[in-house]
């Protein structure tokens, strides 16, 4: 598989990804990071817009699964509440969680995407498994480490800027 820090697509939020947009990009399965992609690290409550988007996606033909590095029960509780499959302890950027999801759904990697806010875990992990990588803006870079990580990602974001999907 390919080693790349460049996302396949860039969006402001996962809520910008409609089932039609995903189908037009050949995506049948959307894997989602959890923290700072769906909700901030500091809460388990999604915005109303995110809640509606999750309901739309669950009822669409696109399959969704949260693939998170988190070891906390909050991810499993959230997924149970919204009727979403999840894989925790994913160890991104290593292939463990992404491969587990691909096996569970038996969908070819090129028909899948992983949307997340981090290039060094989500994008690198997706690209390494042959999965399309969708970079989203972090919901809340609330501490210095998240801000520094974002600064370190800027060269890759700048290089891939023409891959932005405008809603």
């Amino acid at each position: 598989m390919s080693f790349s820090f460049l996302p396949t697509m860039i969006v402001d939020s996962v809520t910008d990804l409609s089932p039609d947009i995903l189908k037009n990009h050949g995506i049948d399965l959307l894997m989602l990071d959890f923290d700072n992609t769906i909700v901030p690290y500091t809460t388990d409550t999604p915005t109303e817009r995110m809640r509606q988007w999750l309901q739309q996606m669950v009822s669409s033909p696109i399959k969704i699964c949260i693939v998170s590095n988190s070891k906390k029960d909050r991810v499993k509780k959230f997924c149970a509440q919204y009727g979403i499959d999840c894989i925790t302890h994913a160890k991104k950027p290593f292939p463990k969680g992404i491969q587990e999801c691909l096996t569970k759904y038996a969908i070819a990697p090129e028909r899948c995407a992983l949307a997340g806010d981090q290039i060094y875990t989500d994008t690198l992990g997706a690209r390494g498994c042959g999965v399309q990588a969708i970079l989203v803006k972090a919901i809340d870079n609330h501490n210095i480490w998240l801000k520094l990580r974002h600064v370190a990602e800027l060269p890759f974001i700048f290089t891939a800027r023409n891959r932005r999907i405008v809603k």
Side-chain angles (χ1 to χ4, degrees):
M1 298 295 158
S2 106
F3 177 87
S4 178
F5 291 108
L6 299 180
T8 313
M9 295 174 253
I10 301 174
V11 294
D12 287 335
S13 170
V14 292
T15 58
D16 294 336
L17 297 169
S18 69
D20 288 339
I21 288 172
L22 295 168
K23 275 293 181 192
N24 289 340
H25 283 89
I27 297 167
D28 295 322
L29 168 64
L30 179 62
M31 296 178 231
L32 298 160
D33 179 47
F34 186 70
D35 288 313
N36 246 359
T37 299
I38 295 175
V39 294
Y41 285 100
T42 55
T43 184
D44 297 340
T45 306
T47 63
E48 181 60 23
R49 181 177 177 203
M50 181 65 71
R51 190 188 63 70
Q52 289 175 357
W53 180 83
L54 287 169
Q55 287 178 332
Q56 175 192 20
M57 293 305 295
V58 167
S59 64
S60 80
I62 304 291
K63 306 224 182 306
I64 62 170
C65 181
I66 291 177
V67 178
S68 174
N69 285 351
S70 179
K71 296 176 176 104
K72 298 178 182 171
D73 282 340
R74 65 191 276 269
V75 177
K76 291 179 182 178
K77 288 177 184 175
F78 180 94
C79 291
Q81 181 179 354
Y82 290 94
I84 301 169
D85 285 338
C86 74
I87 293 169
T88 57
H89 304 84
K91 300 187 179 185
K92 296 174 292 182
F94 300 105
K96 177 197 172 290
I98 297 168
Q99 287 296 106
E100 186 178 330
C101 188
L102 291 171
T103 300
K104 178 177 186 169
Y105 285 93
I107 297 175
E110 59 273 8
R111 304 287 306 169
C112 303
L114 188 149
D117 67 301
Q118 295 188 48
I119 286 179
Y120 300 115
T121 56
D122 303 313
T123 298
L124 183 60
R127 297 298 299 267
C129 290
V131 170
Q132 297 182 55
I134 303 172
L135 181 66
V136 302
K137 284 185 183 175
I139 293 172
D140 182 22
N141 284 329
H142 66 280
N143 66 39
I144 189 66
W145 303 115
L146 294 174
K147 289 175 183 162
L148 289 173
R149 185 210 73 219
H150 178 70
V151 169
E153 292 174 342
L154 286 174
F156 303 111
I157 295 168
F158 180 78
T159 302
R161 70 191 176 281
N162 64 336
R163 299 172 184 190
R164 180 168 295 282
I165 295 178
V166 180
K167 186 176 177 186

